[in-house]
Amino acid sequence: MMSSENRSDFSASCSSISEEARAKINLALHVTGRRPDGYHLLDMLVTFADHGDRLDFMPSPTDEFTLSGRFGETLAGDGGTNLVLKARDLLREAIGPLAFPVRIQLEKNLPVASGIGGGSADAAATLRGLMRLWGTSLPEEALAALALKLGADVPMCLASRPLIARGIGEKIEPVPELPVLAMVLANPLKGVSTPEVFRRLATKNNPTLRLAPSLRGTADWLAAIGAARNDLEPPAREMVPEIAAIAAMLQAHGALLTRMSGSGATCFGIFATMAAAEDAAAALHDERSDWYFQATETVSGGA
């Protein structure tokens, strides 16, 4: 940890630090129960895409926060509710005087409130980036607790590697065997209310996620993912019919498997190769240039 006497010299000399906030993809999401406090219990198989938001951090005379990117304007009126600012303030409170003022630039490339963890990934990237900039760290348990204060998805996004998450998302185990997947992310740019999706969920005590311990290769994993579910997809499709339409479009362009991520409205289509995913994304964009289509690869579980 940096000594306080070195803080001013460091802040004056440190250059910009960048962090990627990768899109979080729920390959499976099983709603398995509900806690007495109202939180739903989930079993999730999660991976992360190479594509996402980008955050840049640098010392500044005063705290600043700026937005850019395709979806930056969507957050322009967010003010103090932005998870990036909440993450900065919580980490500063935990670290104390070492946390000098910073300028944070968020390049918002992911649709907002779209089921791929954009805000949570931004918050996690803020924690990682500011710990590097401020030259400090927190014990693992303290950092996990701080992340959970920001949201149930933030601990997962801190890891940004394939994992299984249970409980409300805080019980995490890595899945190093999950292979890289070529996919297209697709969103009709219509918002879905997460509380309303859960309210419409017909059954809240569904079977848990079970994966065979001997999955080998992409074909095995595709079969296992295909046998799993997203329990939030049926009510989300009732609310936003475009979800069904966009899933059908992905299938028509060669997706081996399609599913909605999180509470929607983003769907993903898994393709045989990255070239096939890129061709599909380009064709889909030509069909509906007002919607969001992005070809990407997921990160390796063993990296």
Side-chain angles (χ1 to χ4, degrees):
M1 185 176 289
M2 187 196 317
S3 63
S4 57
E5 58 265 26
N6 291 333
R7 179 185 136 195
S8 59
D9 290 342
F10 176 80
S11 61
S13 62
C14 183
S15 59
S16 174
I17 282 175
S18 298
E19 280 284 342
E20 299 297 323
R22 296 187 175 105
K24 178 181 72 70
I25 314 299
N26 289 100
L27 297 173
L29 190 159
H30 294 198
V31 181
T32 61
R34 196 170 188 178
R35 301 195 318 191
D37 60 7
Y39 282 98
H40 291 84
L41 298 172
L42 309 174
D43 282 3
M44 293 174 282
L45 176 63
V46 175
T47 191
F48 290 84
D50 274 342
H51 183 73
D53 297 337
R54 175 189 168 98
L55 291 98
D56 295 304
F57 309 88
M58 64 186 67
S60 176
T62 59
D63 283 333
E64 297 179 60
F65 179 57
T66 59
L67 289 160
S68 63
R70 178 178 176 184
F71 299 102
E73 288 187 6
T74 310
L75 296 178
D78 217 9
T81 65
N82 190 287
L83 279 177
V84 168
L85 304 183
K86 289 185 176 182
R88 178 201 65 193
D89 294 344
L90 273 179
L91 185 61
R92 173 174 283 145
E93 181 181 332
I95 288 173
L98 297 179
F100 51 77
V102 292
R103 180 179 186 269
I104 303 175
Q105 165 75 32
L106 169 59
E107 182 182 296
K108 192 66 186 168
N109 302 315
L110 298 175
V112 175
S114 57
I116 49 177
S120 297
D122 294 342
T126 299
L127 296 178
R128 293 194 304 265
L130 287 180
M131 284 192 295
R132 290 170 57 204
L133 186 72
W134 288 335
T136 188
S137 62
L138 292 176
E140 186 175 341
E141 288 186 4
L143 181 59
L146 189 153
L148 193 58
K149 283 185 180 180
L150 293 163
D153 285 354
V154 179
M156 292 179 248
C157 293
L158 265 179
S160 285
R161 292 294 175 195
L163 53 88
I164 290 174
R166 303 186 193 274
I168 62 170
E170 83 284 10
K171 299 174 184 176
I172 294 171
E173 58 182 276
V175 185
E177 303 86 4
L178 188 66
V180 172
L181 301 170
M183 63 173 55
V184 174
L185 304 179
N187 189 294
L189 300 183
K190 290 193 75 170
V192 181
S193 167
T194 299
E196 180 63 14
V197 169
F198 275 103
R199 191 189 70 78
R200 292 187 181 215
L201 190 61
T203 305
K204 295 179 170 64
N205 294 284
N206 299 294
T208 59
L209 174 67
R210 296 184 183 277
L211 296 174
S214 58
L215 295 173
R216 296 288 183 271
T218 301
D220 280 359
W221 276 99
L222 283 177
I225 295 166
R229 317 176 304 276
N230 182 347
D231 289 330
L232 302 183
E233 187 164 347
R237 286 189 178 214
E238 291 176 6
M239 296 165 61
V240 181
E242 288 88 345
I243 293 172
I246 213 165
M249 291 168 69
L250 287 165
Q251 290 176 331
H253 284 276
L256 305 175
L257 184 152
T258 64
R259 182 165 290 152
M260 188 183 81
S261 178
S263 58
T266 300
C267 295
F268 61 87
I270 299 176
F271 287 79
T273 65
M274 190 60 193
E278 289 171 343
D279 288 346
L284 289 162
H285 178 76
D286 287 343
E287 290 179 28
R288 290 298 305 255
S289 60
D290 55 328
W291 288 359
Y292 170 86
F293 298 101
Q294 177 65 51
T296 186
E297 276 187 327
T298 61
V299 298
S300 168

